[in-house]
Amino acid sequence: MTVTAASTPAEPSEAELRALDAHWRAANYLAAGQIYLMANPLLREPLRPEHIKPRLLGHWGTSPGLNLVYTHLNRVISGRDLDTVCVWGPGHGGPAVLAGSWLDGSYTDTYPSVTRDAEGMAKLFRQFSFPGGVPSHVAPETPGSIHEGGELGYALSHAYGAAFDNPALLVACVIGDGEAETGPLAASWHSDKFLDPVHDGAVLPVLHLNGYKIANPTVLSRLPEAELDALLRGYGHDPLYVTGADPMAVHRAMAAAMDTALDKIATIQYEARTDGSTRRPHWPMIVLRTPKGWTGPHEVDGVPVEGTWRAHQVPLDQVRTNPAHLAQLEAWLRSYRPEELFDEHGQPTAPVLACVPDGQRRLGANPHANGGLVLRELPLPALERYAVPVDKPGATLHEPTRVLGDLLEQVMADTAQRRDFRIVGPDETASNRLQAVYAATGKAWQADTLPVDEHLARDGRVLEILSEHTCQGWLEGYLLTGRHGLFSCYEAFVHIVDSMVNQHIKWLRTTRQIPWRAPIASLNYLLTSHVWRQDHNGFSHQDPGFVDHVLSKSPEAVRVYFPPDANTLLATADHVLRSRDYVNVVVAGKQPCFDWLSLEEARAHCARGAGVWEWAGTDDASGEPDVVLACAGDVPTQEVIAAAQLLRHHLPDLRVRVVNVVDLARLMPAEEHPHGMPDAEFDALFTRDKPVVFAYHGYPWLIHRLAYRRTVHPHLHVRGYKESGTTTTPFDMVVRNDLDRYRLVMDVIDRVPGLAVRAAAVRQQMADQRSRHHDWIREHGTDLPEIADWKPGN
Amino acid sequence: MTVTAASTPAEPSEAELRALDAHWRAANYLAAGQIYLMANPLLREPLRPEHIKPRLLGHWGTSPGLNLVYTHLNRVISGRDLDTVCVWGPGHGGPAVLAGSWLDGSYTDTYPSVTRDAEGMAKLFRQFSFPGGVPSHVAPETPGSIHEGGELGYALSHAYGAAFDNPALLVACVIGDGEAETGPLAASWHSDKFLDPVHDGAVLPVLHLNGYKIANPTVLSRLPEAELDALLRGYGHDPLYVTGADPMAVHRAMAAAMDTALDKIATIQYEARTDGSTRRPHWPMIVLRTPKGWTGPHEVDGVPVEGTWRAHQVPLDQVRTNPAHLAQLEAWLRSYRPEELFDEHGQPTAPVLACVPDGQRRLGANPHANGGLVLRELPLPALERYAVPVDKPGATLHEPTRVLGDLLEQVMADTAQRRDFRIVGPDETASNRLQAVYAATGKAWQADTLPVDEHLARDGRVLEILSEHTCQGWLEGYLLTGRHGLFSCYEAFVHIVDSMVNQHIKWLRTTRQIPWRAPIASLNYLLTSHVWRQDHNGFSHQDPGFVDHVLSKSPEAVRVYFPPDANTLLATADHVLRSRDYVNVVVAGKQPCFDWLSLEEARAHCARGAGVWEWAGTDDASGEPDVVLACAGDVPTQEVIAAAQLLRHHLPDLRVRVVNVVDLARLMPAEEHPHGMPDAEFDALFTRDKPVVFAYHGYPWLIHRLAYRRTVHPHLHVRGYKESGTTTTPFDMVVRNDLDRYRLVMDVIDRVPGLAVRAAAVRQQMADQRSRHHDWIREHGTDLPEIADWKPGN
């Protein structure tokens, strides 16, 4: 990790600048060519309508700016032998990044049929945004990318995620001025307070002010210079400005800015790593102000295009039918002087390739951008050391997430040198009772500390910021570059990242089908402080719907677990931390919870994903039960156990089967989800025609959605959260939502044929208990002693 | 709107400062009392364990700061006769805002049983965070609030929403330094570029740096002063600093800061409104730096509490069982000298009430914070002027959102003076083809403009920023203060506000049950640029799941519509813009779409929400059909019409019923949603046992989730989006997802008993057509001419 202090390379010569310009012109030519051409790629003949794609789809506006960054990153990578990845925030500028990759040869390395010659260029052009071809965006298919950029907002947090624990890596990050208006991007500027100059790499943000979005000027581009400068300094940066529309002047300024920035980064790292400076660095960044659609058509049909929002997508859109447009396109393409850039074989000429680095230094070939290549197995300790002893179900209580915290402490300790495991969370790691990890590592913090602070450390690997977006972006960037992690979050507020997890699932779904993309560690959520125990906060903090959201996405990439106690949480965590290419959602409680299963039982139960808990029911294994009481989630499990106990007491001859579900996807048909249970297994577990009363942690309709094809479905009755909440007692929460033990007993009585009459008195007793509860809590403010002190088996 | 230039009030005298302090001490006493006491509210006897609530729930840490703001807002409201609402970002500080409302009398006005005396104080204390009582947060139940604050992030955008088009209003907004780390809050600082000093009111942000979140220091509180100042100036503000822990010094500084800020606001408004200044103002803001849990226990059990994260919730948590804690609580409460603050009846003394304003000037009684009180009917023009003529279904094409744009232009024109209608969107109003509105109003923009810019205007009522969070927050604030609006958004990216709409639905669900809350205009989404037509962008822009998300929430507050053509969109828009207290989601296309229904037919169809399209099928009205082809959404409707036409051609004796669904909730059981169809009606429409092939716009499982209880459900087969997308042709998108006309015909053949054999040749022909499509698009890049040029009835 020791670096030498910066040795500033000489200013680029005029010849070098001309070569950089050649690379940039070549990239611009290739970007425009991808949008327009399906033949005649090198303009060896006059352009005719049939050379033009019938549907013109893509984004020109951002491409010249991205190309400029690609060119100048090539220069400094080559000149300084840098290990560099780039996050392209304006990911809709796919033509640019594809052009850069084709020029540096990584595209042909990845897709051998797209050769770096005329034939390959023709393929490169034709395939772009064409049926059966490649997406218009920087996508998983794009070599060197860890970032789609279609939704916008996550570039900078992805870049920091890539830089954490990669001390030798430079992560360049282009931020569009449109993207800069988004909340997630705005929040992520403060990531610099969490980047350790000793153990982490560097992030070089390039804020690209091209002035316009789809239809409007951008906010940042219209700030007075001094105000923009104040803002960026307020974010903790030391900005460098590159402004212009004259290519050679911009090349000169960009080269100088890159050199200055990289010298500063080297100095910061040297001071921290060698001199031991603990000052929070003010990292450099570049503000690049160039016209939108730069070098494209200046005016089209009498209105300005270059430098305006009209350059956003396709500046000339009638090329096939309007001869003037066709002529203008040809003039535009020829303005790059392709004959200077590509030889008779269509191969890039020497000046074009002068700046291009070699091998894995190429932006399109850096292994960090194909993180599975550098991923190592996470060292996970034997669970036996952390398991709670369970001789008898429900005899003891533990806080499951606290038990998990002990395991995670060991993982943190065992990765202290490797530094490839992080926990992220929005200020909730301790609230979620994982604070044991602080014995092994601290919370990353580069700003000032006070004597009263606890667990803050420059090199800490717990990342806490009150921004779920930033947490998610950091972790995604960390995983995509081949490391491991866990996001612990309040259940309700993980909805904040709904759209981010959508994009990550899309990424995983796509990469699973791309042979050259090596599998990466799964994105693991621990959702706790859940809907049933929001004692301090109430209704605003109650939302179990993230599971519904995730389960509506690509089944091959999503898994959902509801471990009902401490040992099942351990077994689940062990499984998800070893898995690859999934989004795993684990919902678990932090409040004291009865221990139901020994570690051995927990492992077996989690392996099955769902199973009968014989000890809890009165089911005769030899025959069918009268009713199935099913449960998923810690609180529903407790209520089901209590309901089964009440039934055993009041209706001892009723055969009650208790089924617990840990892996929710097991309820789905086998043909719809890899974990889906075959019908025969489902029927054996839940019966084909007996009443099933299912107590579920979240929205009841999800269970119906998953199980509607099952034979027993007409007999399935689901209880769950139905948006009835406030600050009240824990038991009142389940009563309000009809998930309580008394209600479940009543449900059984109402649904088992013939029981309504025979058990009318029991039913009345249950109803009376609920009334008593209502009166009691309003008087005392606490749950009835028989509830608060309840223990299984009593 | 004319204001006079500021006349600075005199500095507060020592007596006035002492009175302000008395109000603040009273509020602090009441805040702590709510968290702890269930008896002995005035400490007329020594504190005993039985006076203490058994469960101590709430947030003390932020409360003294909120109280300080409440006290000083009272002062300036009284002194300047200001019309003011306050958005309390740290909404978990419920005890503070409840205390302020009780002191200003608005609490008793709203809840007469909670009188402003000893008896009422006892109720105020007991009810807080107590079963059957009130939530711990600033909630819909709290007088004067438009903002829950549980999730954090939306305070400032809500404040701006309230200020738009309310030129006489001051909107104070407390931002916690935790909340300030969130993305939505970070983005919303730039709202000042959209606030028109002439037609809008003022927002006064108070950034409260109390230094800590739940477990960590906050980022902003640890910035060096100069860096923080640069940041806030970079946001466009002119910050004033109030720092301290000595109450009297802070009162003096806060009074001075408030006066300076309000003088500046008055000057800005005067210059803009009277002098005609068009300079973008740099609005004042206050940075309030006081200790977390200020005036609470300094140390507990030997560790520091006041001024640290440990003061976040309940500083002393063993009061019932630990006599030392009990004694410390009593000393803490007595430190406010309640005997000076409340008279023998428990009524606040004159000094305490000296700063409190009267009537509707009170923060707890301002009608803008109960927006339904000031809401006026939106003037909506007759739809006949905008409807497209339809003599024959499918004979013409229109872009539905463009037709809607003409209607919205008129609404904008008709509200030009009233200024109570806004359109918000993330830079997509024109992309979504609503640009006709620019003939009636501009896009709000206070920054510099260039000659090339279009439609920017200081007083524009279209709000565009590339932040869905900010759009949503602005619109929520606007609606909650009694105005009307529409959020037009790309379908996929509305997921960005999933968690915000959750909170808004919770707010609506709660306010619907609060008699004193007057109904407000619905939050209307127009989702377009939808999943089926992401030609330029592909997979990242394809997600129809927002509907699933919304429909999992409180049914009484959510509505979802899929108008299939221009006239049904008009009828739907007319309906949702007139509605109250809902979240309405309208999904409609912007691409040319066949006109199926005349306005009259569209109105009737939308009123029913779902119905048979006799002209499209071959159903004999006298009997049951052989198969039902159902559809919801514009693209599925087109494919169903085409499939029905193919069936009519190839299998003329097959009785095909075509059903179109506009109002998705009609599929739900009547007992689960107010729009749910009774079973008899559902059975009559969809039959009880015939195959139903349902072509749905979004995820197919949603239809199963809604309809699983229906008799016909075992025969329901749903096609929809199944996450198969990229940049390809429009028809290829439906083929990839098995939603195309050929596939639908095959589905019918596969499902109608006996048809598989009889129609084997037709089925093969359909399969061949699909193969032909595959080959064609890879060759030509466009859809088959027979698809691209298809017209109904040919």
Side-chain angles (χ1 to χ4, degrees), chain A residues 392-547:
Chain A
K392 177 171 171 286
T396 52
L397 290 158
H398 283 88
E399 296 153 305
T401 57
R402 196 183 291 274
V403 174
L404 176 65
D406 292 335
L407 173 74
L408 295 175
E409 176 193 343
Q410 190 62 45
V411 180
M412 275 293 180
D414 291 343
T415 52
Q417 297 308 312
R418 304 165 38 150
R419 295 186 68 89
D420 62 350
F421 179 67
R422 292 239 179 186
I423 293 175
V424 303
D427 190 34
E428 293 161 2
T429 305
S431 170
N432 293 336
R433 306 199 181 162
L434 302 176
Q435 63 268 55
V437 297
Y438 298 139
T441 191
K443 296 181 277 196
W445 189 259
Q446 312 304 322
D448 291 344
T449 56
L450 297 177
V452 74
D453 293 333
E454 289 185 349
H455 309 309
L456 303 182
R458 289 180 201 285
D459 64 350
R461 279 180 293 130
V462 175
L463 290 162
E464 296 212 307
I465 187 171
L466 212 166
S467 165
E468 286 80 359
H469 293 112
T470 307
C471 291
Q472 172 88 12
W474 286 343
L475 183 55
E476 288 180 358
Y478 198 68
L479 300 174
L480 287 161
T481 49
R483 283 80 63 78
H484 305 265
L486 177 74
F487 185 172
S488 116
C489 191
Y490 276 28
E491 181 187 45
F493 300 147
V494 72
H495 266 306
I496 290 171
V497 299
D498 273 5
S499 56
M500 296 184 76
V501 75
N502 280 356
Q503 299 297 329
H504 192 70
I505 293 170
K506 282 176 183 283
W507 182 278
L508 292 176
R509 180 195 157 115
T510 306
T511 56
R512 293 170 76 90
Q513 296 159 351
I514 298 175
W516 60 269
R517 285 270 178 197
I520 61 169
S522 298
L523 171 48
N524 299 310
Y525 292 98
L526 174 68
L527 304 188
T528 183
S529 304
H530 63 50
V531 56
W532 300 107
R533 294 305 301 273
Q534 281 301 336
D535 308 9
H536 279 272
N537 295 294
F539 197 37
S540 69
H541 284 49
Q542 291 164 350
D543 190 310
F546 188 68
V547 165

Side-chain angles (χ1 to χ4, degrees), chain A residues 628-653:
Chain A
V628 176
L629 269 178
C631 48
D634 61 346
V635 166
T637 297
Q638 173 178 302
E639 291 309 303
V640 156
I641 300 289
Q645 192 168 309
L646 286 165
L647 287 166
R648 192 161 61 233
H649 177 74
H650 291 290
L651 298 164
D653 57 342

Side-chain angles (χ1 to χ4, degrees), chain A residues 42-63:
Chain A
L42 283 156
L43 297 184
R44 297 267 162 86
E45 51 181 317
L47 202 56
R48 294 198 306 275
E50 60 267 32
H51 302 148
I52 307 299
K53 296 184 182 184
R55 299 168 70 242
L56 299 174
L57 302 170
H59 295 79
W60 166 251
T62 189
S63 294

Side-chain angles (χ1 to χ4, degrees), chain A residues 278-302:
Chain A
T278 57
R279 196 172 42 84
R280 174 164 75 78
H282 292 253
W283 296 90
M285 66 169 289
I286 293 174
V287 179
L288 174 64
R289 198 187 286 265
T290 57
K292 185 154 187 156
W294 191 19
T295 70
H298 188 63
E299 276 194 12
V300 177
D301 301 333

Side-chain angles (χ1 to χ4, degrees), chain B residues 204-222:
Chain B
L204 177 61
V206 179
L207 176 61
H208 186 207
L209 300 180
N210 71 20
Y212 289 92
K213 297 167 284 193
I214 304 180
N216 283 289
T218 58
V219 170
L220 294 191
S221 74
R222 295 291 171 93

Side-chain angles (χ1 to χ4, degrees), chain B residues 307-320:
Chain B
T308 82
W309 71 95
R310 296 190 189 92
H312 185 72
Q313 288 180 340
V314 178
L316 296 157
D317 59 357
Q318 306 294 325
V319 184
R320 269 206 164 194

